[in-house]
Amino acid sequence: HQALPSGTFQVINCLFYQNRAVNTGGGIDNSGTALLIDVTFSSNHADAGGGVFNGGTLNIEGATFIQNTASATGGGIDNNSSATLQNVTLSANTGLHGGGLSNDGTIFIFNLTITGNNSGIYNNQGQLRIKNTIVANSTVDDNCYTYGGSWTSLGYNLDSGNTCLFTSASDQINTDPLLGVLQDNLGPTLTHALLDGSPAIDKGDNDYCPLADQRGAYRPADGDENGS
């Protein structure tokens, strides 16, 4: 467990494994400015933010959160301030509210895969914007739940149910993304590949899209190799 007071903190290519915190941030508890690149949080635990608790400014550019747990909110991530997440996988995390992610602050989510958590996203009085993201296959509760605040779909998202307020014409609801198992797909962190025939293939938008995916493969890419 690393507590981060005011200041700037950068982590690249690191593993946070089986850490515990009494209150917040099993892996990292941030109240300053943190940049995380190509990191893995696995089997960490706290009351809030089993993997990461953010009370400052958080930017994540490539990460996998797997099997982290929270007694209360945010099994994978609990954001209480300002966060931007890109190229992140949240898989098999557990929390009382928001197994994958809980938000009470301001958060921008793009190009994420959130799957197999006991619940996906819990937006509690926060401001959330989401794009190019899959939220699927929660094992106990809904994929998404918003208690208050605001929730804005910027399009090109996929919900295996219909609880994520995805109302853009480019969003897909009640749709199985056909994800492979979490494994090494030739990148710095484990990922869920899109299986052949996945409705998510070639359905993202290039605006705000990172130049590479979580594996480091360049975008845009012709996922189904049909020339488009």
Side-chain angles (χ1 to χ4, degrees), residues 213-227:
D213 67 15
Q214 190 177 333
R215 302 165 301 151
Y218 290 112
R219 292 189 178 106
D222 180 10
D224 56 12
E225 299 180 350
N226 70 348

Side-chain angles (χ1 to χ4, degrees), residues 112 114 130-137 143-144 153 155-161 164 166 170-179 194 198-201 203:
L112 265 65
I114 303 171
I130 186 168
K131 182 170 186 172
N132 284 358
T133 290
I134 294 169
V135 190
N137 306 325
N143 288 330
C144 302
S153 169
Y156 305 91
N157 302 295
L158 186 153
D159 179 1
S160 65
C164 292
F166 292 160
S170 57
D171 290 332
Q172 301 180 71
I173 60 174
N174 295 316
T175 302
D176 184 349
L178 297 181
L179 298 173
L194 301 179
S198 167
I201 292 175
K203 291 300 192 297

